[in-house]
C-alpha cells in the first residue's frame, strides 16, 4: 500500500512543471528567465522583437497563468513582429514535446477586456501553445469582431499559427462575436 501511495504522489508531482522562458533577438542578445511567471512574458517577447532585420525567438517551458484581478499585465501584445513564440520546450530548451499554456485567468473584478494574445506586428509565428482564459465583458469592447483568445490588428501580416489550441475564452458581448472556444 505504501508503494502505491508513494507512486501516486510522485506521479502527481511530475504533472506540474516550473515555467521558464528563453529569448533571443536573432542578433547577439539572449536571455533566460527561470523561474518565470506571467509578468515575464511581455518583456521576453519585446526583447526578442528588437533584432535588426532578423527573426527573434521566444521559447516557453511550462505553463503561464496571470494572477486573477491583475489588470496591469493582461493582454500580451506582439507589437513589432519578426518573432517566433513557441511552447512545449523541455527545461533545458533542447527538445520540444507538447504545448505550453497561456492562461489569462478569465474574469476580473474590473470587467475589463482581455485577449490572451494580440498581434499588431508582422511575420509572427505562434506554435505549440494553448491559449485560454480570455474574457470580454459586455461594453468592454468596440463592437463586432472582437477576438477574445487571440486577436490581431488589420495591419498584422505574415502570421503563422501552428499546433495552437484556443479554448475556454468567454464573452457576454451582445454582438455574437467571440474568439476561440
Amino acid at each position: 500500500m505504501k508503494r502505491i501511495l508513494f507512486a501516486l504522489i510522485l506521479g502527481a508531482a511530475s504533472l506540474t512543471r516550473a515555467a521558464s522562458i528563453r529569448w533571443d533577438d536573432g542578433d547577439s542578445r539572449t536571455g533566460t528567465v527561470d523561474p518565470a511567471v506571467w509578468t515575464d512574458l511581455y518583456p521576453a517577447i519585446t526583447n526578442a522583437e528588437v533584432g535588426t532585420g532578423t527573426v527573434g525567438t521566444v521559447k516557453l517551458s511550462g505553463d503561464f497563468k496571470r494572477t486573477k484581478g491583475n489588470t496591469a499585465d493582461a493582454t500580451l501584445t506582439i507589437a513589432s513582429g519578426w518573432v517566433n513564440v513557441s511552447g512545449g520546450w523541455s527545461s533545458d530548451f533542447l527538445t520540444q514535446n507538447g504545448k505550453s499554456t497561456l492562461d489569462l485567468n478569465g474574469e476580473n473584478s474590473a470587467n475589463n477586456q482581455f485577449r490572451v494574445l494580440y498581434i499588431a506586428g508582422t511575420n509572427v509565428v505562434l506554435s505549440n501553445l494553448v491559449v485560454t482564459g480570455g474574457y470580454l465583458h459586455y461594453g468592454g469592447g468596440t463592437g463586432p469582431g472582437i477576438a477574445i483568445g487571440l486577436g490581431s490588428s488589420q495591419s498584422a501580416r505574415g502570421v503563422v499559427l501552428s499546433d495552437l489550441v484556443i479554448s475556454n475564452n468567454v464573452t457576454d458581448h451582445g454582438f455574437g462575436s467571440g474568439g476561440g472556444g
Side-chain angles (χ1 to χ4, degrees), residues 4 26 36 48 58 68 77-78 82 88 92 95 97-98 105 109 114 118 128 131 138 143 153 155 159-161:
I4 294 171
V58 177
K68 194 167 191 140
T77 300
I78 300 176
W82 295 95
D92 60 5
T95 58
N97 184 10
N105 201 11
S109 60
F114 295 134
Y118 183 75
N128 296 77
V131 177
Y138 179 76
S153 72
S155 62
V159 176
V160 176
L161 308 177

Side-chain angles (χ1 to χ4, degrees), residues 1 29 89 92 105 122 129 152 173 179:
M1 178 69 176
R29 291 177 4 129
W89 288 93
D92 60 5
N105 201 11
T122 58
L129 298 170
S152 66
H173 203 281

Side-chain angles (χ1 to χ4, degrees), residues 37-64:
V37 295
W38 180 270
T39 53
D40 297 319
L41 289 167
Y42 183 73
I45 291 170
T46 302
N47 285 333
E49 290 182 297
V50 299
T52 55
T54 60
V55 177
T57 60
V58 177
K59 294 180 178 181
L60 306 177
S61 174
D63 301 320
F64 298 83

Side-chain angles (χ1 to χ4, degrees), residues 101-124:
T101 298
L102 302 178
D103 184 351
L104 194 56
N105 201 11
E107 187 174 347
N108 61 77
S109 60
N111 288 327
N112 291 344
Q113 164 187 325
F114 295 134
R115 294 173 185 91
V116 179
L117 283 165
Y118 183 75
I119 302 169
T122 58
N123 298 309
V124 174

Side-chain angles (χ1 to χ4, degrees), residues 7-173:
L8 288 174
I9 292 170
L10 183 60
S14 65
L15 293 177
T16 57
R17 54 189 172 144
S20 55
I21 304 169
R22 177 164 294 165
W23 61 267
D24 180 339
D25 72 357
D27 287 338
S28 60
R29 291 177 4 129
T30 63
T32 301
V33 183
D34 186 17
V37 295
W38 180 270
T39 53
D40 297 319
L41 289 167
Y42 183 73
I45 291 170
T46 302
N47 285 333
E49 290 182 297
V50 299
T52 55
T54 60
V55 177
T57 60
V58 177
K59 294 180 178 181
L60 306 177
S61 174
D63 301 320
F64 298 83
K65 187 171 186 172
R66 181 183 65 96
T67 303
K68 194 167 191 140
N70 179 356
T71 58
D73 295 307
T75 303
L76 293 173
T77 300
I78 300 176
S80 301
W82 295 95
V83 66
N84 297 340
V85 180
S86 60
W89 288 93
S90 60
S91 59
D92 60 5
F93 298 100
L94 296 177
T95 58
Q96 194 174 22
N97 184 10
K99 295 177 179 59
S100 291
T101 298
L102 302 178
D103 184 351
L104 194 56
N105 201 11
E107 187 174 347
N108 61 77
S109 60
N111 288 327
N112 291 344
Q113 164 187 325
F114 295 134
R115 294 173 185 91
V116 179
L117 283 165
Y118 183 75
I119 302 169
T122 58
N123 298 309
V124 174
V125 177
L126 301 175
S127 63
N128 296 77
L129 298 170
V130 176
V131 177
T132 189
Y135 175 76
L136 176 69
H137 175 67
Y138 179 76
T142 57
I146 299 166
I148 308 308
L150 173 65
S152 66
S153 72
Q154 292 178 349
S155 62
R157 302 281 186 265
V159 176
V160 176
L161 308 177
S162 174
D163 203 6
L164 231 58
V165 175
I166 302 175
S167 66
N168 297 320
N169 296 283
V170 178
T171 183
D172 62 4
H173 203 281

